[in-house]
Amino acid sequence: MVNHSDGTYVLGDAHTNGIESFWALFKRGYHGVYHWMSRKHMQRYVDEFAYRWNIRPGKQKEVFGNAVERVAANSPLPYKELIA
């Protein structure tokens, strides 16, 4: 927690800019990509945008390789399991 009323804005690595940027990315995704998100799958949406946040520009090759490995290693997600 950062106490702005004390004039403290950063404590080591703790500051609010990162989380504010993350939620801005999430809101842009909501309005620009999905337009509506169900409460049932909200954690999946947050996980997707956390992944996007963690692989910001400069790591595209590494990210693509990781995505291909993950797809190859995991079995498909059946529709019945998705909607359960």
Side-chain angles (χ1 to χ4, degrees):
M1 184 166 67
V2 178
N3 189 351
H4 291 158
S5 63
D6 285 350
T8 304
Y9 295 95
V10 177
L11 290 173
D13 290 336
H15 55 81
T16 58
N17 290 350
I19 193 65
E20 288 173 359
S21 296
F22 171 80
W23 288 119
L25 174 73
F26 186 79
K27 288 192 285 186
R28 280 193 306 272
Y30 175 82
H31 294 293
V33 177
Y34 294 108
H35 309 292
W36 184 81
M37 296 179 181
S38 71
R39 293 180 72 103
K40 180 177 180 179
H41 298 292
M42 188 58 66
Q43 186 60 53
R44 291 179 188 261
Y45 295 116
V46 172
D47 290 345
E48 175 187 347
F49 283 93
Y51 179 76
R52 290 180 185 208
W53 175 256
N54 289 324
I55 54 107
R56 291 184 297 278
K59 298 183 179 180
Q60 285 87 2
K61 266 188 174 178
E62 179 184 332
V63 170
F64 182 72
N66 290 342
V68 170
E69 286 176 16
R70 290 176 70 177
V71 168
N74 293 326
S75 61
L77 179 63
Y79 183 72
K80 282 187 177 186
E81 186 178 328
L82 174 66
I83 63 170

